[in-house]
Amino acid sequence: SRVLQIEGAGKGGVSVDHSTQFLTATEPRFEQLLSELAKEGAVKAWEGPVGELQAGAFTPMDSKQTRWVGVGGIASIPKALAAPLDIRLDTWVASVERQEGGAWRLFLDAQKRRPLSSATTKGVQEDFEYICVAHLPL
């Protein structure tokens, strides 16, 4: 989401999702997931008009499907889905090893002396079930 300063919109501006404005569900399990996210307050059904703006003319789009929007922005959806997970952000990992049972052991140093633990108890080593690596180009 981005906040735009639009004349007459007030001091706070207007929040706009410039990527995914809304989403729909055509599969029952996804519809159920969106309903659960709505109960948690992460999404809500969009009640406003949806259409196409071309050459200054607005043409409404008709659809029987519910259009869902993220409450406070589309990022509320992955945040709600990730809430029960142990997610470590902004963590530099120097080395990754797959363990015998399939878990992942992450190390903070190339010499593999400082493992990163998934345990919440200090001094207890637990490996990770899943990892997701996002790295910006150097």
Side-chain angles (χ1 to χ4, degrees):
S1 295
R2 299 289 183 255
V3 175
L4 304 177
Q5 297 301 324
I6 299 174
E7 190 174 322
K11 277 190 167 184
V14 176
S15 181
V16 177
D17 267 318
H18 58 89
S19 59
T20 304
Q21 289 80 23
F22 65 87
L23 53 113
T24 61
T26 56
E27 201 274 332
R29 291 180 298 171
F30 189 50
E31 180 69 38
Q32 178 62 37
L33 174 64
L34 290 171
S35 294
E36 290 171 19
L37 289 172
K39 289 176 190 167
E40 294 174 19
V43 298
K44 65 180 180 179
W46 176 255
E47 302 296 334
V50 175
E52 184 177 329
L53 183 61
Q54 198 168 45
F58 180 77
T59 306
M61 294 170 53
D62 287 330
S63 175
K64 303 288 186 232
Q65 288 183 302
T66 301
R67 292 181 176 102
W68 296 95
V69 295
V71 174
I74 202 72
S76 65
I77 298 171
K79 286 179 182 175
L81 294 172
L85 304 175
D86 175 14
I87 296 179
R88 313 287 174 94
L89 301 174
D90 298 323
T91 303
W92 179 260
V93 175
S95 181
V96 177
E97 277 185 359
R98 185 77 164 191
Q99 302 301 300
E100 277 187 37
W104 296 94
R105 183 162 298 163
L106 283 63
F107 296 90
L108 301 173
D109 64 318
Q111 294 76 28
K112 300 181 182 175
R113 291 185 295 239
R114 294 178 40 220
L116 179 66
S117 178
S118 67
T120 55
T121 305
K122 190 173 177 126
V124 175
Q125 173 61 42
E126 289 183 10
D127 296 320
F128 294 85
E129 293 179 52
Y130 303 95
I131 58 172
C132 175
V133 178
H135 193 285
L136 297 174
L138 297 176

